[in-house]
Amino acid sequence: MAVELGLWRVDDIPRRIPTQAMPLEAKLERLILQDPEILEAKLLLIGSQVPTGYGKFIDILGVDSEGTLHILELKRDRTPREVVAQALDYASWVEALGNDEVRGIFESSHPGKSFDEEFAIRFDGSPVPDELNSSHVMTIVASDLDSSTERIVSYLNRTHGVPINVMIFRYFVDEGHEYLARTWLIDDAIQALPTPAAKRGTRASWNGQDWYVAFGVDGDSRSWEDAATFGFVSAGGSDWYSRTLKGLPVGARIFVHVPKRGYVGVGTVLAPAKPADEAVLEVNGEPRRFRSLDLRAKYAHPDAGEGVDSAEYVVPVEWTKQVSLDNALWREGMFANQNSACKLRNQFTIDEVSRHFNLN
């Protein structure tokens, strides 16, 4: 059962401020749109009054930092059966939304704004996850709660694992000031329902060609000037760093990111990764052993520890475009990852780098 909220003014002696009926539930919707954190969860609002495929409208649709969709439905003056049935009906429609459809809803509701940029701004720089709508939850927003709604929602959540809950708001007025307090019907509610990925593409599409590479330049172990000049990327010091780099396929197009600086190059992988002591690069049309080059950095990790594959692994690259660190490209919403290499599904990053570097 939800905790009943009370509010006291304690300037001198305790004086309870009575709960009042909110003048308009539409006002509550407007407050949520102005500040979604009223709902406790941090959300990016995808849209309000979102049209479904069968003539109904979801009051508010949001997404959290994990890509979970949140269906928010105001109780208004509907009966318990109506509002719960409506939320479940909307969830059946939301379940079928793929990655592209989620982005399309946002773009329709926010013309001229980039979903990726707004997501990063909302979630402290985090890029959009590969999967959108991998799960979803339903929240009924109410300014009061009757026993019938409480029974139905509790039964669905606790007995059948349906991720539905009620957020209850209490409205107070004191000497011309208005206040809201909130509480959940179920504190330990089922939080999300996985969406069967086989039904539609929640994961961003991947062309099978583009990869992300992180090129760390901390200290004297690695130099971007070397990589840009001689045509390679590298990583090492332990298997954690080198393992993903070894997975880069020959012919892959790589987008190279220097952490804390931005994107500095795009190129094509010419050969598999090899330890720096064995790697060979083609320089001015001739094969040269990596260690014979006039390198600025050491590409060695003597302090890695006993039994650790501490080698620096080198991948030969033919650059399509490379720029200096001072000209690195970075925008909010662009993809960044701590792995040395991974598949690049973030179309926003691909588009921005391609445009900035004048790639076809």
Side-chain angles (χ1 to χ4, degrees):
M1 178 176 290
V3 176
E4 181 58 43
L5 294 174
L7 187 67
W8 280 260
R9 183 173 180 175
V10 291
D11 293 339
D12 41 21
I13 61 172
R15 183 172 65 84
R16 183 163 187 165
I17 301 172
T19 304
Q20 298 188 24
M22 180 166 283
L24 291 172
E25 209 145 15
K27 180 175 182 176
L28 181 55
E29 181 176 4
R30 186 169 66 253
L31 293 172
I32 293 169
L33 292 174
Q34 290 171 343
D35 183 6
E37 291 192 40
I38 286 177
L39 295 166
E40 186 175 90
K42 191 169 187 177
L43 301 177
L44 172 65
L45 298 186
I46 298 173
S48 62
Q49 297 304 311
V50 176
T52 65
Y54 39 83
K56 301 292 185 179
F57 295 84
I58 299 173
D59 284 338
I60 301 173
L61 188 63
V63 62
D64 63 26
S65 61
E66 302 298 320
T68 296
L69 292 191
H70 291 249
I71 302 159
L72 309 170
E73 192 63 15
L74 274 72
K75 186 174 183 291
R76 305 188 193 278
D77 57 355
R78 287 174 289 185
T79 68
R81 180 176 297 180
E82 287 172 336
V83 70
V84 174
Q86 197 76 77
L88 294 172
D89 194 20
Y90 292 157
S92 72
W93 180 79
V94 165
E95 181 187 41
L97 295 177
N99 196 298
D100 291 342
E101 287 83 2
V102 173
R103 290 173 174 273
I105 293 170
F106 178 88
E107 290 165 4
S108 296
S109 300
H110 303 80
K113 290 190 175 182
S114 162
F115 179 73
D116 293 81
E117 287 187 281
E118 294 302 316
F119 191 97
I121 292 169
R122 184 65 181 147
F123 299 115
D124 306 315
S126 297
V128 178
D130 282 348
E131 287 196 71
L132 289 175
N133 195 23
S134 58
S135 58
H136 60 273
V137 297
M138 294 161 278
T139 300
I140 295 171
V141 179
S143 56
D144 59 63
L145 186 66
D146 55 85
S147 59
S148 182
T149 302
E150 181 176 337
R151 287 197 310 272
I152 294 170
V153 170
S154 296
Y155 173 75
L156 289 170
N157 192 292
R158 290 175 168 162
T159 304
H160 293 283
V162 177
I164 186 170
N165 204 346
V166 181
M167 175 161 276
I168 308 149
F169 284 88
R170 291 288 186 255
Y171 176 70
F172 303 88
V173 178
D174 179 43
E175 295 187 356
H177 297 285
E178 300 174 272
Y179 301 92
L180 279 180
R182 68 189 182 196
T183 186
W184 288 104
L185 169 62
I186 309 170
D187 286 337
D188 56 347
I190 300 295
Q191 294 300 312
L193 183 67
T195 300
K199 294 185 68 174
R200 74 292 171 279
T202 59
R203 184 176 288 271
S205 60
W206 183 54
N207 58 19
Q209 174 190 7
D210 292 332
W211 291 71
Y212 165 89
V213 171
F215 190 88
V217 295
D218 292 338
D220 61 357
S221 63
R222 203 173 292 113
S223 163
W224 170 243
E225 289 82 358
D226 286 342
T229 300
F230 296 112
F232 70 90
V233 291
S234 67
S238 74
D239 183 63
W240 193 92
Y241 294 107
S242 59
R243 174 177 49 82
T244 53
L245 195 76
K246 295 175 190 176
L248 283 175
V250 175
R253 184 170 70 159
I254 60 172
F255 288 70
V256 182
H257 173 254
V258 173
K260 300 181 181 179
R261 302 299 290 270
Y263 282 84
V264 293
V266 177
T268 302
V269 173
L270 298 177
K274 292 279 186 73
D277 291 345
E278 304 172 16
V280 175
L281 301 178
E282 186 172 303
V283 180
N284 297 324
E286 295 184 2
R288 294 278 303 276
R289 295 187 65 83
F290 182 75
R291 290 297 187 194
S292 73
L293 300 173
D294 183 18
L295 300 168
R296 296 170 176 81
K298 296 178 179 179
Y299 304 93
H301 309 277
D303 301 325
E306 187 176 352
V308 175
D309 181 5
S310 61
E312 181 81 1
Y313 280 79
V314 176
V315 175
V317 173
E318 180 181 0
W319 294 119
T320 305
K321 178 75 173 183
Q322 79 272 33
V323 298
S324 67
L325 290 177
D326 289 338
N327 292 312
L329 171 66
W330 181 255
R331 286 185 61 183
E332 289 284 0
M334 296 183 80
F335 182 81
N337 192 286
Q338 60 185 346
N339 289 309
S340 297
C342 63
K343 298 172 181 177
L344 181 58
R345 300 176 183 272
N346 189 295
Q347 193 62 45
F348 176 71
T349 298
I350 295 170
D351 291 344
E352 289 301 308
V353 173
S354 298
R355 185 181 302 113
H356 186 76
F357 289 167
N358 295 316
L359 304 180
N360 293 328

